[in-house]
Amino acid sequence: MQSRNDNATSETVVLSTDAAGLASAAEVLRAGGLIAFPTETVYGLGADARQSDAVAGIFAAKGRPSFNPLIVHVADLAAAEALVTFTPQAYRLAQAFWPGALTLVLPLRAGSGVSSLVTAGLATLAVRVPDHPVAQGLLRAFGGPVAAPSANPSGRISPTTPAHVLTGLNGRIAGIVDGGACGVGVESTIVDVTGDPVLLRAGGIPAEVLAEALGAPLAHPSAEGTIAAPGMMASHYAPQGAVRLNATAALPGEVLLGFGAVAGDLTLSRSGDLREAAANLFDCLHRLDAMAATAIAVAPVPNHGLGAAINDRLRRAAAPRD
């Protein structure tokens, strides 16, 4: 298998989740190559976080702006402690929600070995412990930190199945570990805990749940336009077609993505279940691309719990594009 990413490789190899498959994937990472792998949220595009050439390969494969930092995935809290300095609030959140769909932004430790390309030159690092047996198996087989944004071209729909990954990145990465469909379906929640906790991105763990664990609500970023963590760009997660939000019916030429009582050509959840909607969101957007939909109307989704994460992704999908 070709290991290093040259932005135009041979066809991407699909690897199994058994010990041999994970060992092969770990060897590619050690050699500086790119491996897509499942987490409980979405598929990640992994590289050794300590190899700048490998991390640069992520940006090349995704066409991702270099000022957008990456999340580093580690196997456990001890591995995270080797990379960042924990605050008391960070320990409280990690102990309550790791492994899980929570990313913490913390001060980078001197001598961590993490490439500056991962942090986009910031003095902080976004780190999480994934709650997925395949991700855990790969991290332990590799034995180091893995930088892994979502495994899709930059700004496009995040992948929740191996087929989604191959549609966007086949031939641009060395391999993909086929772990089936992801369960959560939206990316991790990101919280800056360098000081008082700040919600940087809504995600798989609702902000209300995090606030309950902390005993206080989370603040929101004070500086508009600052890219302090992954997934904060205004236009992101975008399908090919133009997106119109909060629609109760389709206009001529539109394909309607429904939710609850608003029936659509496709639906996030007929029963109005936010967990089901989160799991279906990116798959529905991929299906709209497959339908060559040029105009997409999306039904209203309640803006609480996982609905806040769903609406965040939909707003970015609908944002004006460069």
Side-chain angles (χ1 to χ4, degrees):
M1 182 190 303
Q2 185 169 346
S3 57
R4 283 203 175 271
N5 175 72
D6 300 314
N7 201 28
T9 73
S10 58
E11 185 173 349
T12 298
V13 175
V14 178
L15 298 168
S16 67
T17 61
D18 60 15
L22 294 177
S24 295
E27 186 55 37
V28 171
L29 292 174
R30 293 188 191 98
L34 305 183
I35 290 290
F37 63 96
T39 74
E40 74 278 27
T41 57
V42 300
Y43 270 75
L45 178 56
D48 186 343
R50 301 160 298 192
Q51 296 190 46
S52 290
D53 285 352
V55 176
I58 292 177
F59 293 119
K62 287 176 62 71
R64 183 184 180 100
S66 60
F67 55 78
N68 201 0
L70 305 178
I71 293 173
V72 167
H73 294 65
V74 293
D76 51 34
L77 175 59
E81 288 176 312
L83 304 177
V84 292
T85 301
F86 274 73
T87 62
Q89 295 98 326
Y91 273 121
R92 186 176 302 176
L93 290 175
Q95 289 162 356
F97 300 106
W98 277 1
L102 175 66
T103 294
L104 300 177
V105 175
L106 286 162
L108 184 67
R109 282 191 182 276
S112 69
V114 172
S115 166
S116 61
L117 289 178
V118 173
T119 63
L122 300 174
T124 54
L125 179 68
V127 62
R128 89 173 182 102
V129 178
D131 186 16
H132 193 290
V134 176
Q136 282 286 327
L138 176 59
L139 289 167
R140 295 187 185 281
F142 176 59
V146 174
S150 56
N152 56 289
S154 185
R156 296 300 314 285
I157 311 162
S158 297
T160 56
T161 69
H164 295 164
V165 177
L166 292 173
T167 295
L169 297 178
N170 191 19
R172 301 174 70 85
I173 63 176
I176 175 174
V177 181
D178 184 351
C182 301
V184 175
V186 293
E187 293 88 349
S188 61
T189 305
I190 303 180
V191 179
D192 183 332
V193 273
T194 55
D196 291 335
V198 177
L199 179 67
L200 297 181
R201 181 179 76 182
I205 299 178
E208 299 94 327
V209 176
L210 298 174
E212 184 177 354
L214 290 169
L218 282 72
H220 293 272
S222 57
E224 286 294 328
T226 299
I227 306 298
M232 293 183 69
M233 299 183 71
S235 177
H236 209 54
Y237 316 107
Q240 297 284 4
V243 177
R244 181 172 67 91
L245 302 180
N246 297 314
T248 55
L251 299 176
E254 288 183 332
V255 178
L256 179 60
L257 179 57
F259 176 82
V262 179
D265 302 280
L266 302 175
T267 185
L268 294 170
S269 172
R270 295 188 186 280
S271 65
D273 182 272
L274 290 174
R275 183 178 294 274
E276 180 184 21
N280 287 337
L281 174 60
F282 290 133
D283 186 59
C284 283
L285 295 179
H286 279 286
R287 290 172 64 189
L288 288 164
D289 269 359
M291 295 165 61
T294 58
I296 301 163
V298 183
V301 176
N303 199 42
H304 60 76
L306 282 174
I310 295 167
N311 283 317
D312 173 82
R313 305 310 187 272
L314 289 172
R315 283 192 297 271
R316 294 176 193 275
R321 304 170 195 180
D322 294 334

